[in-house]
Amino acid sequence: MNKSILCTAIIFCFAFNNEKKQSKSPVSVYNISAEVKKVIVYTTSDNTDYRLTVTDTLSFAEFGQPMETQPSVFVDPSHSFQIFLGIGGALTDASAETFAKLPADKQKELLQAYYDTEKGIGYTIGRTNINSCDFSSDMYTYVSEGDKELRSFNISHDEKFKLPLIRKAMKATGSKLNLFVSPWSPPAWMKDNNDMLHGGKLKKEFYGSWANYYVKYIKALEKVGVPVWGLSVQNEPMAKQTWESCMYTAEEERDFIKNYLGPTLQKNNLSDKKLIAWDHNRDLMYQRSSTYNLKM
């Protein structure tokens, strides 16, 4: 199947670390002064060399009743939430193929604009696809048809475009790019619709093989100099698409993690990788997370 590359969209990835917990004994707000806290204002425009530029420094201060016309930000310093890890973009086949067609000076300019922490905006998060996705010009997997044991596993397909771009992006960040990997679909023969496209579900008899697939992929990338920070179970697990897609209910994703993917990562010394569930829209996050908390 051939697909036309229409654009090289940059998909923003916002990552948070939930390891920072709120204190069990919150400090009284009356004991904390916000007056010493500074707010640094960043802006960007067409004439700032693609950079966020510091334009102002403000301070918090006690304030009485504001007028309705006054914009106000109210801060409760006794409550803290996740640590903000960074912002980044997708490094897909489409981006990589388009990047490869650029002259060397334009490649350097692009890498500097997005990944250089001094002269660019300094992306620190990257996301790439396991197997083909809707931003691929061909449909592919890393194993032969029906190879349940994954003996034929090989990522040579990605060496032509995608991996060279990822390596250059990592180098541009000074090896500070946190890369996570995500599948759009297992191989067609692992699914109940025998198709990488149009949704479908992973057959239960291939849960173990598919869990090992992630391990094979992560280790193959790291063997060729591309360290992996984390992985997600499935790109958009509730979206039946005309392109590569696979459906998981909250219960199915939870049980796949609990009984297959989690133990397989641990068994293969990959328990340090960040495992992301519900790699999708935030509107159903509460329902998904509530289900994940059950029987985990």
Side-chain angles (χ1 to χ4, degrees):
M1 174 183 177
N2 292 321
K3 302 178 183 177
S4 298
I5 300 175
L6 300 179
C7 64
T8 56
I10 296 296
I11 303 173
F12 287 102
C13 307
F14 296 86
F16 295 86
N17 187 337
N18 63 2
E19 292 175 357
K20 185 176 181 180
K21 307 295 184 182
Q22 181 179 331
S23 172
K24 293 183 179 179
S25 302
V27 179
S28 171
V29 67
Y30 300 107
N31 295 329
I32 300 176
S33 173
E35 293 182 4
V36 297
K37 304 298 183 183
K38 301 295 183 182
V39 178
I40 300 174
V41 181
Y42 293 84
T43 59
T44 185
S45 63
D46 291 341
N47 60 358
T48 57
D49 296 326
Y50 309 104
R51 281 183 56 82
L52 290 170
T53 304
V54 177
T55 57
D56 201 357
T57 301
L58 306 174
S59 300
F60 284 104
E62 296 296 332
F63 195 78
Q65 173 66 52
M67 301 294 291
E68 290 184 355
T69 55
Q70 291 178 299
S72 302
V73 176
F74 300 92
V75 177
D76 182 353
S78 69
H79 288 74
S80 60
F81 299 93
Q82 301 101 326
I83 299 171
F84 186 71
L85 292 179
I87 300 174
L91 295 159
T92 60
D93 296 288
S95 299
E97 290 181 36
T98 304
F99 177 83
K101 296 175 183 177
L102 295 175
D105 62 326
K106 293 300 180 182
Q107 288 186 356
K108 182 179 179 180
E109 180 182 345
L110 187 148
L111 290 169
Q112 179 177 286
Y114 282 103
Y115 297 100
D116 191 290
T117 57
E118 297 296 328
K119 299 179 181 179
I121 57 177
Y123 274 2
T124 55
I125 305 288
R127 181 175 185 263
T128 196
N129 47 296
I130 302 175
N131 294 333
S132 58
C133 68
D134 52 325
F135 286 97
S136 302
S137 58
D138 61 329
M139 190 184 299
Y140 65 89
T141 69
Y142 304 113
V143 294
S144 301
E145 180 80 16
D147 180 13
K148 182 179 180 179
E149 302 302 324
L150 311 182
R151 294 189 178 94
S152 59
F153 194 92
N154 190 297
I155 62 167
S156 59
H157 173 281
D158 293 354
E159 283 290 359
K160 187 174 182 181
F161 297 113
K162 194 163 59 174
L163 290 178
L165 171 59
I166 293 174
R167 290 191 191 98
K168 289 179 180 179
M170 287 184 163
K171 183 178 180 181
T173 66
S175 300
K176 295 178 181 179
L177 185 70
N178 290 323
L179 180 71
F180 78 96
V181 297
S182 182
W184 269 239
S185 175
W189 51 271
M190 287 190 182
K191 298 172 63 182
D192 60 4
N193 65 345
N194 295 306
D195 188 357
M196 288 185 70
L197 317 181
H198 309 109
K201 289 181 177 290
L202 177 65
K203 294 179 181 178
K204 288 189 176 181
E205 61 261 37
F206 294 121
Y207 272 27
S209 295
W210 186 228
N212 284 319
Y213 205 100
Y214 298 81
V215 171
K216 290 273 191 181
Y217 183 73
I218 291 171
K219 289 192 172 184
L221 257 60
E222 296 190 336
K223 187 177 181 180
V224 295
V226 179
V228 174
W229 169 82
L231 67 156
S232 75
V233 179
Q234 169 63 40
N235 173 72
E236 300 181 352
M238 284 298 291
K240 181 180 179 180
Q241 304 286 16
T242 56
W243 52 81
E244 288 88 342
S245 46
C246 186
M247 307 282 286
Y248 290 84
T249 64
E251 292 81 6
E252 289 167 340
E253 189 172 29
R254 175 198 66 200
D255 293 344
F256 177 62
I257 293 171
K258 176 183 177 181
N259 300 319
Y260 294 90
L261 185 54
T264 300
L265 292 172
Q266 188 172 33
K267 179 181 177 181
N268 288 275
N269 299 314
L270 295 176
S271 56
D272 62 320
K273 305 303 180 186
K274 303 297 183 182
L275 179 54
I276 302 167
W278 188 237
D279 185 1
H280 204 154
N281 299 332
R282 65 180 183 177
D283 52 347
L284 297 179
M285 187 179 295
Y286 178 79
Q287 183 270 334
R288 298 291 288 208
S289 61
S290 297
T291 302
Y292 299 146
N293 286 331
L294 298 174
K295 301 179 181 179
M296 282 295 280

